[in-house]
Amino acid sequence: MSIIPSIPVIQGRKKTSLQYNGDALLLHRPHEEVRIPLAAVARVRAEGRSVVVDLTAPAGAEPVAHQVDGASEAGAAMFVAAVNAVLPGVVGRDTTSDGSVLVEAQTWPRSRRERKVRLVKLWSAAAVGLVAVLCVLISVAGEAVGVVIFVPMGGIAAASLVGGGVALSSWYREWHLTRHGVTTFAAEVPSEPGMYLYTDPAGLIRNVFTWAGRVGVKVSYDPHDPGNVVLPRAALVRRGELCLGLFLAFCGLFMFAGMIVMTVQAFLGTLNLSEPA
């Protein structure tokens, strides 16, 4: 009995992948899945660490291609050889037709966690960029020693501002959902401590994790996005988070304002960091 080797899954850069799935190739990208029927594939080829799927096209037309970069060369070679060997036997395959009309794509939005992480990265990059600009400006103004002050001060200011923004964002999300969302009870799964289930308006059962140690917990979720759920906390905890967020944000803004004022004074000639106070 002959053994047919399995067709490998191609893992590429930026969380992309390509796999053989019986009658189609599935191309996965972040937030998108593209289904390419084998009947739409003219050929698959390997170019170093890239795998290219050429779709069928009428004579004289430029074929559409889907590409995955950063794959293993050995895996790419095996994948290409295996898929190309299957293509001639595909029922209904016409190499002179437009294969792109058979391709289906499904997209989905970024999750709340991904959006939050992306926003934190943008805030951090903006804060660090501002510190770098201020360091350059105060050096141009003739007070290069100010860089020694701005670097640690700017680092603390950036961390405070980002930390305050995260705390305020978390507080606002809970405040908004508890007042404008749907509040219900979630029941614990007896066989899985810490997992609680609730049902959304569409009848879909969703889960949330918490170590509450109770049979049921109160949850609040967005009626337009039932997966966006919070477990309402005690008022004292929420107020503490609000105060912490405001304090950190104020400290960050105050330190950045101080750095900007020092930079302006350096250009006006009223600041001399080289002389002792």
Side-chain angles (χ1 to χ4, degrees):
M1 182 177 68
S2 62
I3 299 176
I4 301 176
S6 61
I7 299 179
V9 176
I10 300 300
Q11 299 288 349
R13 298 193 189 101
K14 299 180 179 179
K15 299 181 180 180
T16 60
S17 66
L18 180 67
Q19 67 182 87
Y20 172 78
N21 187 33
D23 62 344
L25 299 178
L26 298 181
L27 174 60
H28 295 276
R29 299 190 183 102
H31 315 294
E32 181 184 41
E33 180 183 88
V34 180
R35 184 179 185 276
I36 309 172
L38 293 182
V41 179
R43 64 169 179 163
V44 183
R45 51 193 169 90
E47 296 182 351
R49 297 188 60 191
S50 298
V51 175
V52 183
V53 180
D54 291 321
L55 303 185
T56 58
E62 185 70 21
V64 177
H66 296 272
Q67 182 169 327
V68 176
D69 299 317
S72 161
E73 289 192 29
M78 291 178 59
F79 182 88
V80 168
V83 174
N84 284 333
V86 173
L87 290 179
V90 174
V91 178
R93 179 169 172 264
D94 182 3
T95 57
T96 62
S97 63
D98 184 3
S100 62
V101 300
L102 302 177
V103 176
E104 300 175 354
Q106 180 181 4
T107 59
W108 49 89
R110 295 177 183 272
S111 67
R112 182 190 60 80
R113 179 179 178 83
E114 289 176 318
R115 292 196 300 269
K116 184 176 181 179
V117 170
R118 185 170 181 268
L119 190 59
V120 168
K121 289 180 178 179
L122 289 175
W123 287 346
S124 302
V128 172
L130 179 57
V131 173
V133 170
L134 292 174
C135 287
V136 171
L137 290 176
I138 202 167
S139 297
V140 171
E143 295 292 340
V145 69
V147 175
V148 179
I149 300 174
F150 279 13
V151 169
M153 185 176 177
I156 296 173
S160 298
L161 203 56
V162 172
V166 170
L168 291 175
S169 174
S170 176
W171 171 84
Y172 175 78
R173 174 171 168 260
E174 183 175 348
W175 176 87
H176 178 77
L177 290 180
T178 53
R179 282 162 178 75
H180 303 284
V182 177
T183 300
T184 185
F185 279 93
E188 186 179 32
V189 180
S191 59
E192 298 186 43
M195 177 185 284
Y196 292 80
L197 304 180
Y198 65 99
T199 306
D200 67 16
L204 181 64
I205 297 177
R206 298 178 178 270
N207 62 66
V208 62
F209 292 89
T210 178
W211 296 107
R214 299 193 297 271
V215 175
V217 294
K218 185 187 294 185
V219 297
S220 297
Y221 62 85
D222 185 345
H224 304 293
D225 180 15
N228 183 11
V229 60
V230 297
L231 288 90
R233 297 169 296 177
L236 181 62
V237 176
R238 294 200 303 270
R239 290 167 185 165
E241 183 176 53
L242 174 61
C243 292
L244 176 63
L246 290 173
F247 174 75
L248 291 176
F250 173 79
C251 289
L253 290 173
F254 181 79
M255 284 187 281
F256 271 121
M259 293 166 63
I260 293 173
V261 169
M262 290 173 65
T263 303
V264 172
Q265 289 177 337
F267 275 100
L268 295 177
T270 59
L271 178 70
N272 191 343
L273 298 174
S274 301
E275 294 184 357

